[in-house]
Amino acid sequence: MNWTDERVELLKKLWSEGLSASQIAAQLGGVSRNAVIGKVHRLKLSGRGKTTTAAPRSKKPAPAPVTTPRSATTSNVSSMSAASVSASPAAPRATVMKSSGSAALQADILADAVAEPIIRSNENVVVPISRHLTLLQLTERTCKWPVGDPLHEDFHFCGHESGESSPYCSYHSKLAFQPTAERRRAR
DNA sequence: CCCTGATTCGC
DNA sequence: GCGAATCAGG
């Protein structure tokens, strides 16, 4: 993909709006977050007020001819990152579904099996670069169950662990795959 | 492990 | 100029 003027403009815009490199890459399509970051640097568009890791100058990776294998001790952090989307004032199209958007991150007890997710993931490629709409980073392991009104600010996705091959967490999977209620003729 | 941006460097 | 690989941090 070329960095056309338009793409560069969009890059600048999104970057200035505080989107992360990966988010921008996702909307631009066809580029990796590294590409975005690289471009940002080349454009000298670093730092937009609040950069997460503001480690300007500390040390440069000296070209040590010797490989220095270091073992890092990782402390376990158990924080769930809720998938929140910065709702845009003008959402293109709302996925109409009747869900009582109150499925919080903590597997809350949902009254009854209400929601019937009509989530038709089309072959949807990249989200048509539109508003400063930024679907969060829905990775392969995050529950993609939408929560709340897409038109509202607090719209987000469940974000729970969704296992290896399911788009939803175990909880939402059950809701999603519930056979249209009692549709069986008991012999 | 997930994510973030920063830097380097071969192409 | 580009961006994968790598580094460094949360």
Side-chain angles (χ1 to χ4, degrees), chain A residues 85-98:
Chain A
V85 172
S86 56
S88 77
R93 220 169 284 93
T95 309
V96 182
M97 56 183 286
K98 48 179 306 183

Side-chain angles (χ1 to χ4, degrees), chain A residues 94-121:
Chain A
T95 309
V96 182
M97 56 183 286
K98 48 179 306 183
S99 70
S100 61
S102 58
L105 282 179
Q106 38 185 320
D108 215 340
I109 305 94
L110 206 53
D112 32 45
V114 272
E116 187 175 313
I118 312 176
I119 308 171
R120 278 289 167 276
S121 299

